[in-house]
């Protein structure tokens, strides 16, 4: 009888962990969808070339800043 209760307790722990994982995934999914929607709304009136140029420019800025940080830490 004691083994049965111990098994049920472990079963509840597993169910709780699974349900918490599902809940966390659903909450993250909402954040991702909202972020994607905001991103789409901000670029929907731009042409593909403008979006590409903006992306490349921002990427170059990020790479440049990272290189500066590496140089400063190396000195």
């Amino acid at each position: 009888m004691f083994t049965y209760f111990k098994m049920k307790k472990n079963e509840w722990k597993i169910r709780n962990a699974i349900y918490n994982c599902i809940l966390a995934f659903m909450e993250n999914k909402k954040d991702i969808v909202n972020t994607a929607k905001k991103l789409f709304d901000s670029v929907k009136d731009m042409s593909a070339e403008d979006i590409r140029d903006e992306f490349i420019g921002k990427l170059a800025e990020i790479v440049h800043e990272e290189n500066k940080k590496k140089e400063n830490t190396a000195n």
Side-chain angles (χ1 to χ4, degrees):
M1 191 67 169
F2 180 72
T3 306
Y4 174 78
F5 288 121
K6 189 174 179 182
M7 183 180 68
K8 281 296 183 181
K9 180 181 176 186
N10 290 334
E11 180 183 332
W12 290 336
K13 285 181 182 179
I14 292 171
R15 283 186 182 183
N16 188 29
I18 291 171
Y19 292 149
N20 284 334
C21 288
I22 292 170
L23 181 62
F25 173 77
M26 295 303 289
E27 288 176 359
N28 288 337
K29 183 179 173 185
K30 289 178 186 176
D31 291 339
I32 292 169
V33 168
N34 288 337
T35 303
K37 183 178 178 187
K38 288 178 185 177
L39 178 62
F40 175 75
D41 289 341
S42 68
V43 298
K44 69 180 177 183
D45 296 329
M46 296 174 69
S47 68
E49 292 81 21
D50 292 341
I51 294 170
R52 185 190 69 225
D53 293 341
E54 186 73 23
F55 176 75
I56 291 172
K58 293 293 183 184
L59 185 60
E61 286 179 24
I62 292 169
V63 169
H64 183 69
E65 290 175 7
E66 289 295 320
N67 284 336
K68 276 182 161 178
K69 287 179 185 177
K70 285 182 182 178
E71 287 176 2
N72 290 338
T73 58
N75 293 331

